[in-house]
Amino acid sequence: MPPGGEGKVEVTFRSGDRRRQLRQSVVVRTNDPAHESVTLLVTANVLVDLEVEPNLLRFDPQHSPLAALVIKNHTDAPVQLSEVYASSDHVDLSLSASTIPPRGEVSVTGKLLSDAPQGVLSGWLYIRTDLKTLPLLQVRIWGNLL
């Protein structure tokens, strides 16, 4: 870059699937003895149409065979949910409603079936949506079945 010139610094980061604010520092090293490094502060507001809380369907069979999570709709339109299924045959899933109202939420409940073998349960929960931005929601399923 010539003295007094301008340059561009391209920053890429993985924002994840949670609504949140991000703040990160980026250090640029230079060959200018007066300014050997410059620190840039990068901020972003991550906006998502749907948010899953918690982002894991976790089973703890010592306390309950049930696990639950909430899907929040951050849009101004209803969101249709369909094709709710798990990659594991040992989990039964149910939705509190098939439509999430604008700025509303629905709950997903998973029930651990009695024929689940002991050991680590690992898999995925899948839910189809009518959103073009997120046609398929994927949520991790996990449990330690003692």
Side-chain angles (χ1 to χ4, degrees):
M1 175 177 353
E6 292 183 8
K8 251 187 186 180
V9 175
E10 190 170 312
V11 178
T12 304
F13 60 92
R14 294 187 194 278
S15 62
D17 58 358
R18 300 198 75 119
R19 242 178 128 80
R20 60 189 168 146
Q21 289 186 328
L22 294 175
R23 186 177 161 136
Q24 191 70 32
S25 295
V26 176
V27 177
V28 179
R29 303 221 185 273
T30 75
N31 63 353
D32 180 353
H35 305 285
E36 291 180 358
S37 68
V38 177
T39 301
L40 307 173
L41 181 62
V42 179
T43 61
N45 284 326
V46 178
L47 303 175
V48 294
D49 291 335
L50 294 180
E51 183 176 21
V52 179
E53 288 185 355
N55 61 351
L56 172 72
L57 190 64
R58 183 177 180 176
F59 288 94
D60 182 1
Q62 290 181 332
H63 293 97
S64 172
L66 303 176
L69 53 83
V70 172
I71 304 171
K72 295 182 179 183
N73 177 3
H74 292 292
T75 72
D76 292 323
V79 174
Q80 289 296 126
L81 304 176
S82 62
E83 292 188 63
V84 180
Y85 60 98
S87 63
S88 171
D89 294 334
H90 305 293
V91 177
D92 186 33
L93 300 168
S94 64
L95 287 172
S96 62
S98 60
T99 302
I100 311 174
R103 306 282 170 196
E105 60 187 47
V106 299
S107 62
V108 179
T109 303
K111 180 180 180 186
L112 193 58
L113 299 177
S114 60
D115 65 348
Q118 288 190 338
V120 173
L121 171 68
S122 180
W124 293 94
L125 155 66
Y126 300 102
I127 302 174
R128 295 232 177 256
T129 80
D130 66 346
L131 286 174
K132 290 182 180 177
T133 57
L134 188 63
L136 181 65
L137 253 178
Q138 298 178 74
V139 181
R140 194 71 148 132
I141 297 173
W142 191 88
N144 192 0
L145 315 181
L146 301 174

